[in-house]
């Protein structure tokens, strides 16, 4: 008996379909936004970046497929290892990473000679580890020392290591962690206290950086915020060009491959790819992209709701929060609702690290969805004793953390 495609690609079918549709948008937008650049750099070869992006996309889909086959209990066990790997990687990046615009964000992978953005891996590792910690401390979640204190330490460590080089990523990660804590039933007064401490810590860091003689990213952050606020003074060049692209797109756009702003707008293939999509496909294309991410949010929220265990529910929620917030921040920057942040559009923007990490996040979500479907088929109405035993077996995973 022949197997259908959804017998091979298990888990939520809607999520698989959304990923493939976003992939099609990505290929079209990347080809359009990089054609001129590739022509100049590679002697007329306009397809260089397209083919490179296609290879990364296929590799990422392969990773996503592999991850979705791993049982979520194994992923929960790996979260601690990932976190302990992310911290030294961030430290190494600060000292020996590749610098760009006064910020060390990348390290070079030996032998492969590929750049890897460690903050993307750290985001994934922290949210996985935080989901596991919250799940393991549900019995003492209201206790400040045994519950809350253990949760905030890894959040502060990772965000503090990312902050000097990438304020927006650190801020979005901190916000995602706060939301996950709220979903995990952490007391609201503890969360407000955490937010207050975070604001004070950031203000203290900025103050030190401004009065010191060393070069830092604070000047860049300041200029971006000032440009966003003082629109009468001309605003930010990137933001202005993005608005021009969006305004010229109209209802149905100029047509695929007919963008003008791709030759003017910095990083049109990553930080501002949403603006290029709107210029070429118009308001219709923008609404389709927004709709896809909203459906993705709905489908993942449904997985959280169906899960009868805390660990996998929080794991899916963590991955969903990271991805959806980043997507809407990217779109908000493109249309001028937010200051320039440099955040990519998940599954659409060109970038090997971003695409790979997004695929792992989605693979984790599909892993939980696959397990729920499997459990429903094998035991639609489990006996109380059996269900209790399964819960105790999963609790053993968290005790290690």
């Amino acid at each position: 008996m022949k197997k259908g495609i959804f017998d091979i690609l298990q888990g939520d079918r809607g999520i698989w379909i959304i990923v493939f549709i976003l992939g099609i948008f990505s290929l079209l937008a990347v080809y359009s936004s990089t054609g001129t650049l590739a022509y100049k750099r590679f002697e007329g070869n306009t397809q260089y970046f397209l083919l490179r992006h296609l290879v990364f996309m296929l590799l990422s889909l392969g990773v996503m497929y592999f991850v979705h086959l791993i049982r979520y209990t194994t992923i929960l066990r790996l979260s601690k290892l990932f976190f302990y790997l992310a911290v030294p990687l961030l430290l190494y990046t600060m000292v020996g990473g590749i610098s760009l615009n006064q910020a060390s964000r990348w390290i070079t992978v030996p032998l492969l000679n590929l750049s890897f953005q460690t903050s993307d891996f750290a985001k994934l590792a922290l949210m996985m580890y935080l989901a596991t910690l919250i799940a393991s401390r549900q019995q003492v979640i209201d206790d400040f020392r045994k519950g809350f204190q253990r949760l905030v330490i890894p959040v502060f460590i990772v965000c503090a290591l990312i902050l000097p080089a990438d304020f927006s990523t650190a801020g979005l990660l901190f916000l995602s962690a706060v939301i996950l804590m709220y979903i995990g039933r952490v007391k609201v007064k503890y969360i407000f206290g955490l937010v207050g401490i975070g604001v004070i810590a950031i203000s203290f860091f900025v103050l030190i950086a401004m009065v010191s003689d060393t070069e830092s990213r604070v000047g860049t952050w300041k200029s971006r915020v000032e440009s966003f606020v003082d629109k009468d003074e001309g605003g930010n060049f990137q933001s202005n060009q993005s608005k021009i692209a969006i305004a010229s797109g109209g209802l149905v756009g100029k047509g695929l491959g007919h963008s003008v702003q791709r030759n003017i707008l910095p990083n049109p293939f990553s930080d501002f790819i949403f603006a290029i999509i709107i210029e070429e496909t118009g308001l219709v294309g923008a609404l389709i992209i927004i709709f896809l991410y909203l459906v993705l949010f709905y489908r993942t929220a449904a997985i959280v709701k169906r899960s009868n265990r805390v660990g996998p529910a929080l794991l899916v929620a963590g991955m969903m929060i990271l991805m959806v917030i980043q997507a809407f921040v990217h779109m908000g920057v493109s249309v001028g609702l937010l200051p320039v942040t440099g955040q990519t559009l998940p599954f659409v923007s060109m970038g090997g690290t971003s695409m790979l990490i997004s695929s792992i996040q989605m693979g984790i979500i599909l892993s939980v969805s696959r397990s729920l479907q499997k459990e429903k088929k094998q035991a639609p109405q489990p006996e109380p004793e059996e269900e209790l035993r399964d819960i105790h077996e999963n609790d053993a995973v968290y005790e290690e953390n």
Side-chain angles (χ1 to χ4, degrees):
M1 184 176 179
K2 274 189 174 183
K3 285 188 176 183
I5 186 170
F6 287 112
D7 293 320
I8 300 172
L9 306 177
Q10 301 175 42
D12 190 290
R13 295 182 178 183
I15 291 178
W16 281 108
I17 292 172
I18 290 171
V19 170
F20 286 130
I21 295 175
L22 288 174
I24 293 172
F25 269 98
S26 178
L27 288 173
L28 294 174
V30 167
Y31 182 48
S32 176
S33 58
T34 60
T36 304
L37 179 64
Y39 182 85
K40 292 178 180 178
R41 286 191 183 181
F42 301 99
E43 300 178 354
N45 183 9
T46 60
Q47 300 171 355
Y48 175 83
F49 288 112
L50 171 66
L51 295 175
R52 185 173 178 268
H53 182 61
L54 179 61
V55 170
F56 274 116
M57 182 178 289
L58 293 175
L59 176 63
S60 298
L61 287 174
V63 170
M64 179 175 161
Y65 174 77
F66 172 76
V67 172
H68 106 288
L69 295 177
I70 302 173
R71 186 168 171 78
Y72 67 82
T73 51
T74 303
I75 295 172
L76 288 168
R77 289 189 180 98
L78 288 172
S79 65
K80 191 173 184 178
L81 175 64
F82 278 24
F83 175 76
Y84 287 150
L85 179 61
V87 172
L89 280 176
L90 288 173
L91 287 169
Y92 175 76
T93 305
M94 292 178 67
V95 177
I98 300 172
S99 295
L100 181 65
N101 295 329
Q102 301 174 353
S104 295
R105 300 183 185 179
W106 294 267
I107 60 174
T108 302
V109 180
L111 301 179
L112 298 178
N113 197 30
L114 294 174
S115 297
F116 178 77
Q117 193 163 351
T118 52
S119 60
D120 283 338
F121 175 72
K123 290 191 301 183
L124 171 69
L126 176 63
M127 295 301 282
M128 288 173 58
Y129 187 53
L130 186 60
T132 307
L133 285 176
I134 296 173
S136 67
R137 281 159 177 77
Q138 282 298 293
Q139 299 300 323
V140 292
I141 200 67
D142 292 336
D143 186 278
F144 181 83
R145 187 178 61 83
K146 295 180 180 179
F148 180 71
Q149 195 176 70
R150 288 294 305 272
L151 303 180
V152 300
I153 293 174
V155 174
F156 275 122
I157 290 173
V158 173
C159 290
L161 292 175
I162 295 175
L163 178 62
D166 195 342
F167 175 85
S168 61
T169 297
L172 291 180
L173 181 56
F174 184 80
L175 175 62
S176 300
V178 167
I179 295 173
L180 187 61
M181 287 183 191
Y182 177 78
I183 294 173
R185 302 190 307 165
V186 174
K187 282 186 175 181
V188 175
K189 67 177 182 180
Y190 292 164
I191 292 176
F192 276 119
L194 175 62
V195 172
I197 294 171
V199 171
I200 293 172
I202 292 174
S203 302
F204 190 64
F205 170 79
V206 171
L207 180 62
I208 293 175
M210 290 180 68
V211 300
S212 65
D213 294 331
T214 57
E215 293 184 349
S216 68
R217 291 279 295 172
V218 174
T220 303
W221 307 340
K222 183 180 178 182
S223 64
R224 286 179 175 179
V225 173
E226 288 177 348
S227 297
F228 176 74
V229 175
D230 299 331
K231 291 182 171 59
D232 293 337
E233 298 297 326
N236 181 275
F237 176 78
Q238 295 168 297
S239 182
N240 288 340
Q241 297 303 318
S242 178
K243 291 174 186 176
I244 293 172
I246 291 169
S248 61
L251 180 63
V252 295
K254 297 177 178 178
L256 297 175
H258 291 86
S259 169
V260 175
Q261 294 304 113
R262 64 185 176 183
N263 301 318
I264 305 171
L265 186 62
N267 299 318
F269 45 82
S270 57
D271 299 355
F272 288 91
I273 199 166
F274 186 62
I276 301 302
I277 290 174
I278 298 178
E279 185 182 7
E280 296 188 345
T281 63
L283 179 63
V284 174
L287 292 177
I288 291 174
I289 294 290
I290 294 171
F291 176 75
L292 289 173
Y293 282 109
L294 289 175
V295 173
L296 181 61
F297 177 83
Y298 172 78
R299 303 291 292 197
T300 50
I303 295 172
V304 173
K305 188 176 180 180
R306 289 199 308 269
S307 180
N308 57 0
R309 293 165 186 147
V310 179
L314 290 175
L315 192 61
V316 171
M319 301 301 103
M320 172 189 67
I321 292 166
L322 269 181
M323 190 170 300
V324 173
I325 287 181
Q326 181 176 331
F328 280 95
V329 166
H330 174 99
M331 290 186 278
V333 169
S334 296
V335 300
L337 294 177
L338 295 170
V340 175
T341 62
Q343 295 296 318
T344 57
L345 188 60
F347 288 111
V348 179
S349 293
M350 187 177 78
T353 306
S354 174
M355 185 73 71
L356 181 62
I357 296 300
S358 296
S359 297
I360 294 175
Q361 290 174 311
M362 198 56 66
I364 291 173
I365 293 172
L366 289 167
S367 170
V368 176
S369 174
R370 172 177 165 270
S371 296
L372 291 175
Q373 290 178 353
K374 191 175 180 181
E375 289 172 5
K376 186 177 179 180
K377 288 180 181 178
Q378 292 179 346
Q381 293 180 339
E383 294 296 326
E385 295 82 6
E386 181 184 352
E387 186 173 359
L388 203 60
R389 186 174 64 252
D390 288 342
I391 292 173
H392 286 319
E393 287 176 358
N394 280 279
D395 285 342
V397 173
Y398 309 132
E399 290 176 2
E400 299 176 7
N401 297 279

